[in-house]
Amino acid sequence: MQIPWVGYVTDQHISFRMFRKVYTYITSIGLVLFLAFLFLSPLSFVVSLLFWHLWLLLPRFYVYARLSRLPKDGMIKFNRQDISYYQQ
């Protein structure tokens, strides 16, 4: 059983700083849309939307939390089994 990873996964190394920036933007855009739908939609739809938003971002949050103590100038690489961090 694997946690779903929805979205673009690179085959090459990417900057950890860029990963943090993209993750922050994705989370904030989703929460802004959630707040917009909060007043325009039924409560059950809004709760469902929030649940799915958090569920789909959970794998990225896990990576974000586990790598938060490491220096921000490193590179990360996503594999099928793991996520590797390389310090420059």
Side-chain angles (χ1 to χ4, degrees), residues 7-22:
Y8 182 67
V9 178
T10 61
D11 291 334
Q12 300 295 322
H13 296 84
I14 62 167
S15 167
F16 182 53
R17 189 178 310 268
M18 179 64 69
F19 173 76
R20 288 174 40 118
K21 189 183 293 188
V22 168

Side-chain angles (χ1 to χ4, degrees), residues 19-69:
F19 173 76
R20 288 174 40 118
K21 189 183 293 188
V22 168
Y23 178 76
T24 303
Y25 289 155
I26 289 172
T27 304
S28 61
I29 289 170
L31 292 177
V32 166
L33 287 174
F34 167 73
L35 291 174
F37 280 119
L38 183 65
F39 299 107
L40 302 173
S41 300
L43 182 61
S44 61
F45 175 73
V46 173
V47 170
S48 174
L49 185 68
L50 180 64
F51 171 78
W52 282 107
H53 177 68
L54 295 177
W55 175 256
L56 294 175
L57 288 180
L58 184 65
R60 289 181 179 95
F61 179 71
Y62 179 75
V63 172
Y64 189 83
R66 292 291 298 213
L67 297 178
S68 65
R69 295 180 299 250

